[in-house]
Amino acid sequence: MRIPTAAAALAVLLAVTVSCSFFDPREPQDPDPGEEIAWQQPYAPTTVVLNLENAMEGRSVSITMACCDSSYMFIADGADTTEFGGSWNFSNWNYQVEQNTLMNIYNFVQGSGLPDDSLVAVIMNIVPELPDPVAPTDSAEIWRDYEIVTAGSEYSGWDGPARGRAMFLMVEDTYGLWSIKRWYDYRPDGYTGSNYTWGVAKATFR
């Protein structure tokens, strides 16, 4: 009698497992490393910037790219393309290029040996003379002075963070959600070459 009973129990277990696998909703899993990342629905351009900071510090490629429109382009500073264009490729920096480059960066920093919370650091400060637009619709220009660290990187390590000014051209979709369509990268005021822009820092990983 033990064999039929065990078989019946196994059959019930398999049925439950299959039913759970096929019919029960599952929470989406982010495949990237890092702890749970704070995310807010981007009903305002400023929220996109906050999400971007959190996603980058959390080293999540998918969440970082969720801040970007499918038509995203990164446009490096012209002075950077002139000075470093012979070494790295800044052209046609679209959504796919950005995604692949971030994957390379996030994988690289894990080899630095530093704690998880020290692998990537991002600060985006409002530019006082270029304030955020009030109640924008359809599109908006958002300016930020940034400082970005990617641990172990020659061009944006803790001893020399990437510094510059970003102009995010953001667009609003039909659901009222905002995303980055263009990231225009600029050297900071008073640029001396002691710190590189984010465009230069990440071009080395392209």
Side-chain angles (χ1 to χ4, degrees):
M1 293 297 294
R2 291 183 180 178
I3 294 175
T5 301
L10 180 60
V12 171
L13 179 61
L14 287 173
V16 171
T17 302
V18 170
S19 65
C20 289
S21 299
F22 284 99
F23 300 109
D24 286 357
R26 289 188 248 175
E27 291 296 321
Q29 298 294 318
D30 191 297
D32 302 327
E35 298 179 355
E36 185 175 349
I37 296 167
W39 172 268
Q40 301 178 51
Q41 286 285 36
Y43 290 117
T46 52
T47 306
V48 179
V49 178
L50 293 174
N51 286 339
L52 180 67
E53 290 179 279
N54 292 333
M56 291 180 67
E57 291 190 343
R59 292 168 288 116
S60 170
V61 176
S62 60
I63 299 180
T64 304
M65 296 313 300
C67 299
C68 302
D69 184 72
S70 59
S71 63
Y72 171 90
M73 294 288 292
F74 179 86
I75 295 88
D77 190 299
D80 285 338
T81 60
T82 298
E83 182 175 354
F84 300 105
S87 301
W88 302 300
N89 182 13
F90 296 91
S91 64
N92 301 316
W93 199 299
N94 58 23
Y95 185 100
Q96 189 64 51
V97 172
E98 182 79 355
Q99 181 173 261
N100 292 341
T101 302
L102 289 173
M103 188 178 301
N104 292 337
I105 292 171
Y106 295 162
N107 286 334
F108 170 84
V109 297
Q110 293 190 81
S112 68
L114 294 178
D116 282 353
D117 60 0
S118 299
L119 298 180
V120 178
V122 182
I123 298 173
M124 297 268 181
N125 291 319
I126 294 174
V127 181
E129 63 270 24
L130 296 167
D132 295 344
V134 178
T137 57
D138 298 328
S139 65
E141 293 183 0
I142 304 296
W143 292 84
R144 291 291 185 270
D145 285 331
Y146 65 75
E147 184 170 300
I148 301 174
V149 172
T150 52
S153 168
E154 181 179 356
Y155 295 89
S156 57
W158 281 104
D159 56 343
R163 292 195 178 109
R165 178 168 291 181
M167 192 281 271
F168 301 114
L169 175 60
M170 298 202 187
V171 291
E172 183 182 20
D173 68 14
T174 55
Y175 301 100
L177 301 175
W178 291 82
S179 59
I180 302 169
K181 182 181 179 71
R182 298 284 185 272
W183 178 329
Y184 293 91
D185 201 42
Y186 298 99
R187 289 180 174 183
D189 292 340
Y191 177 81
T192 63
S194 57
N195 293 84
Y196 300 95
T197 63
W198 180 232
V200 170
K202 67 179 180 176
T204 64
F205 291 93
R206 182 173 177 178

